[in-house]
Structures are given as C-alpha cells and as structure tokens.
C-alpha cells in the first residue's frame, strides 16, 4: 500500500509561534485529508485537499500532488491547537485511506 | 443524526468473550469505514463498505474480526474470542461515497467519537 510519512513526529511551540507540518506520500492520490485529534480522541476535519491550497482562519494547507507532499501551516498557535495532527491519503478506487503516524503538537502558554 | 455516532463509548470485556461495536453513519453517506487505533499510535484501516458490500476486507487482523452493514445505514464490527491485543479505540467514519455512475466524488470522511475497548 501507499506509504505516508509525517514530520516532525513531535513539536513543541510557544503560544503565538507559527509552524509547518509535512506529509509525504509514495504514490499519486485521489483524496487527502488533514485531521486534528484532540486530547479526548475526537478526530476533527481540518482540510480535504487532494491538490491546491486552502485556508481556514489561522490554518492553511497546500498539497502539491505532482511532488507527492502536503503541508499544514498553523499560524499564531494557541494552546487549544495541541493534539495530534494526522494526514490521510487514498490512492485507490476503493477509498482505502492510509494514515500517517501523526505529528504530536504541544503548544505551551 | 448530525454526525457519526458509535456505541458503546466504552466496553470492558474479559478475554475470550465476543463483543459487538456499532456505528451509525451520517444520513445519506453511502461509504463507511472502520479503523483501529492503539494507544499512542496512528489509525489502522480495517474495512470499508460501499453500500452493503465490502470491497476491501484486507485490513481485518484475523478471522475473529467480522463486520456487516444493513442497508446504507448501521454497521456492526464483531470481535469473537477477544484477546488482550484487541484493546484499542475502534473508530468509524462515513463519507458520501460513489455516485450512481461510479465516478469518484467528493469523499471527505467524517469520524465518530470511537469505542474504547479494553480486554482484561
């Protein structure tokens, strides 16, 4: 199956700092999503972005499908941004999503 | 309902017992997914349904695991003769799935809150 690598695995930020999370994948994809898993375990949809750029408030994402990577930008981080960020991709017609191992973000006040 | 719901939210069972986990997808979503997440790990794909059929069962860890879906609605994941290594959070997601003409459609997944399974 498709390989999904996320970096960095762990990230500690001071509140107000900016960060970039990366997702590399080994094959062309039909679907790509970014999720935030909060401390209670709920997966929250951030972006559905198989290609292009999207923005939502302090968050934005860019997927360069031809180069097989996606970036998630977090600006002016807040303590509520803490949690694990997952990238998930699907390269098949069967909608089988492969998840990266996640980036664990800790934003300190 | 407004979102994907799962029940029970927590399940504690003894080794060797059977358990059933339930998922109610978002109304109108034809695709349904099951994942497993062990503590501190990423999500592991188990099975995917498009309507009632499961085109891909390759993620099921063993023959003790099975899943079914009735209509384009509720799905149950059954684990027989549970083992301690089955302890994990089991997550369900749904998406719009394929259009009638079998063209890939906007297929964003939405997740339920999960069932935390503990096998003693």
């Amino acid at each position: 199956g498709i390989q999904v690598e996320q970096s960095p695995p762990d990230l500690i930020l001071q509140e107000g700092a900016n960060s970039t999370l990366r997702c590399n994948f080994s094959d062309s994809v039909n679907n790509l999503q970014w999720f935030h898993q909060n401390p209670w375990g709920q997966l929250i949809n951030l972006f559905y972005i198989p290609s292009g750029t999207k923005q939502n408030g302090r968050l934005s994402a860019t997927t360069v499908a031809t180069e097989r990577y996606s970036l998630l930008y977090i600006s002016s981080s807040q303590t509520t941004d803490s949690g694990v960020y997952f990238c998930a991709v699907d390269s098949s017609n069967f909608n089988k999503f492969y998840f990266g191992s996640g980036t664990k973000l800790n934003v300190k006040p | 309902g407004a979102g994907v719901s799962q029940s029970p939210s927590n399940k504690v069972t003894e080794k060797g017992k059977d358990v059933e986990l339930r998922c109610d997808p978002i109304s109108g979503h034809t695709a349904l997914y099951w994942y497993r997440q062990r503590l501190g790990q990423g999500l592991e794909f188990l099975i995917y349904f498009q309507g009632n059929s499961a085109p891909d069962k390759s993620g099921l860890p063993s023959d003790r695991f099975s899943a079914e879906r009735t209509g384009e609605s509720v799905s149950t994941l059954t684990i027989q003769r549970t083992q301690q290594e089955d302890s994990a959070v089991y997550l369900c997601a749904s998406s719009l799935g394929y259009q009638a003409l079998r063209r890939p459609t906007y297929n964003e997944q939405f997740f339920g809150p999960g069932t935390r399974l503990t096998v003693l």
Side-chain angles (χ1 to χ4, degrees):
Chain A
I2 191 169
Q3 304 299 312
V4 184
E5 295 182 355
Q6 290 188 242
S7 60
D10 295 279
L11 184 59
I12 300 174
L13 295 176
Q14 206 63 38
E15 196 169 29
N18 304 328
S19 64
T20 301
L21 281 57
R22 187 176 180 102
C23 172
N24 292 336
F25 40 94
S26 61
D27 203 348
S28 58
V29 297
N30 296 328
N31 299 290
L32 187 147
Q33 286 187 250
W34 282 98
F35 297 92
H36 175 215
Q37 189 167 41
N38 66 21
W40 296 271
Q42 178 68 51
L43 278 158
I44 299 164
N45 291 32
L46 297 179
F47 293 101
Y48 175 84
I49 187 166
S51 64
T53 297
K54 291 185 177 180
Q55 180 155 7
N56 184 4
R58 297 182 295 103
L59 303 182
S60 64
T62 296
T63 297
V64 183
T66 53
E67 296 187 21
R68 300 180 183 173
Y69 72 88
S70 183
L71 301 174
L72 177 69
Y73 305 97
I74 304 174
S75 64
S76 304
S77 58
Q78 300 176 359
T79 56
T80 53
D81 295 333
S82 296
V84 183
Y85 289 80
F86 288 105
C87 167
V89 304
D90 161 41
S91 64
S92 73
N93 289 325
F94 293 108
N95 296 293
K96 181 175 181 177
F97 282 83
Y98 291 87
F99 277 73
S101 54
T103 292
K104 186 174 183 179
L105 174 64
N106 183 9
V107 181
K108 297 191 170 182
Chain B
V4 179
S5 61
Q6 292 186 245
S7 61
S9 55
N10 281 285
K11 177 72 177 178
V12 180
T13 189
E14 293 180 347
K15 179 181 173 181
K17 301 283 189 183
D18 298 351
V19 295
E20 274 193 2
L21 312 180
R22 176 187 170 110
C23 172
D24 282 89
I26 293 172
S27 178
H29 279 192
T30 64
L32 186 147
Y33 312 79
W34 283 99
Y35 296 88
R36 177 169 72 178
Q37 186 177 29
R38 290 197 166 109
L39 186 63
Q41 305 294 314
L43 274 72
E44 176 188 5
F45 172 87
L46 297 179
I47 190 170
Y48 150 70
F49 287 92
Q50 175 58 50
N52 293 342
S53 66
D56 191 342
K57 302 180 182 179
S58 63
L60 294 176
S62 75
D63 59 7
R64 296 186 295 105
F65 287 72
S66 62
E68 64 177 21
R69 188 179 184 194
T70 52
E72 289 186 344
S73 184
V74 173
S75 174
T76 55
L77 177 69
T78 301
I79 309 173
Q80 295 178 310
R81 306 181 302 281
T82 51
Q83 304 295 312
Q84 288 182 333
E85 66 258 27
D86 299 334
S87 295
V89 176
Y90 290 83
L91 290 155
C92 174
S94 70
S95 70
L96 283 171
Y98 283 86
Q99 294 175 339
L101 294 178
R102 297 187 179 277
R103 287 180 293 122
T105 184
Y106 186 79
N107 218 20
E108 184 176 3
Q109 292 184 94
F110 295 87
F111 278 82
T115 293
R116 183 176 298 277
L117 175 66
T118 303
V119 182
L120 301 177

